[in-house]
């Protein structure tokens, strides 16, 4: 399957004038990559906060259970 849209690399380089963006950190202005990056960072941060709070609640529950059992 040939999905290269140009007949030659020279034609592809000529078409890549740097004014249009695409979904990489390459040249060109494209706000979609900025939005996707910000969403990724926000989602990763929210997930880490949730994971930390969830683990804290599990550890506190286990500590209370062990304290009740052994009374230490």
């Amino acid at each position: 399957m040939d999905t290269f849209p140009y007949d030659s690399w020279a034609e592809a380089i000529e078409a890549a004038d740097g004014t249009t963006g695409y979904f990489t950190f390459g040249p060109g202005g494209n706000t979609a990559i900025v939005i996707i990056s910000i969403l990724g960072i926000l989602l990763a941060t929210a997930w880490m906060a949730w994971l930390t709070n969830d683990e804290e609640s599990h550890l506190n529950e286990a500590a209370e259970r062990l304290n009740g059992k052994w009374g230490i």
Side-chain angles (χ1 to χ4, degrees):
M1 175 191 301
D2 185 16
T3 60
F4 191 64
Y6 302 103
D7 293 331
S8 68
W9 277 105
E11 185 181 350
I13 291 171
E14 183 179 323
D17 58 0
T19 60
T20 58
Y22 46 91
F23 289 100
T24 66
F25 288 103
N30 194 345
T31 57
I33 191 65
V34 174
I35 293 170
I36 291 171
S37 298
I38 290 172
L39 283 175
I41 291 168
L42 290 175
L43 287 173
T45 304
W47 178 76
M48 287 300 295
W50 173 82
L51 183 64
T52 302
N53 288 333
D54 188 53
E55 287 298 318
E56 181 185 20
S57 67
H58 286 296
L59 289 173
N60 287 338
E61 180 184 324
E64 289 174 9
R65 191 176 63 243
L66 289 172
N67 191 22
K69 180 177 180 180
W70 297 100
I72 297 174

